[in-house]
Amino acid sequence: MNQEDVVQDGLTLKAARVNVGLTQKQAANGIGVSESTLLKYEQGKSYPDVKTLKKIEKLYKIPYHRIIFL
């Protein structure tokens, strides 16, 4: 799998959130982080730890390998 395949098959964190119909506030509450932390994840300014990533997978109904952190 090359980088182009990953981009085509993946979703940005924001797109994954929008696909399940959540606002940033709802998603942040569901994941257990602040809205500002979620925004940093979505902007690629910081990255979730494994425990948080598992919560994101469950809430967004998408496996971590399909999430693109920009």
Side-chain angles (χ1 to χ4, degrees):
M1 179 177 290
N2 63 36
Q3 187 174 2
E4 289 178 19
D5 292 334
V6 172
V7 171
Q8 288 177 347
D9 292 339
L11 292 171
T12 64
L13 192 58
K14 181 178 179 179
R17 173 178 56 78
V18 171
N19 279 351
V20 293
L22 296 173
T23 64
Q24 278 186 335
K25 183 175 186 172
Q26 292 168 326
N29 287 337
I31 296 165
V33 298
S34 68
E35 286 180 71
S36 63
T37 297
L38 181 59
L39 179 61
K40 288 177 185 176
Y41 294 163
E42 289 184 355
Q43 294 175 338
K45 293 183 178 178
S46 67
Y47 303 95
D49 59 21
V50 173
K51 184 177 178 180
T52 303
L53 189 55
K54 289 182 183 278
K55 291 178 183 179
I56 291 170
E57 284 182 305
K58 186 174 182 178
L59 185 64
Y60 291 7
K61 300 174 178 80
I62 184 171
Y64 75 92
H65 68 271
R66 291 206 50 223
I67 300 172
I68 300 169
F69 291 91
L70 299 174

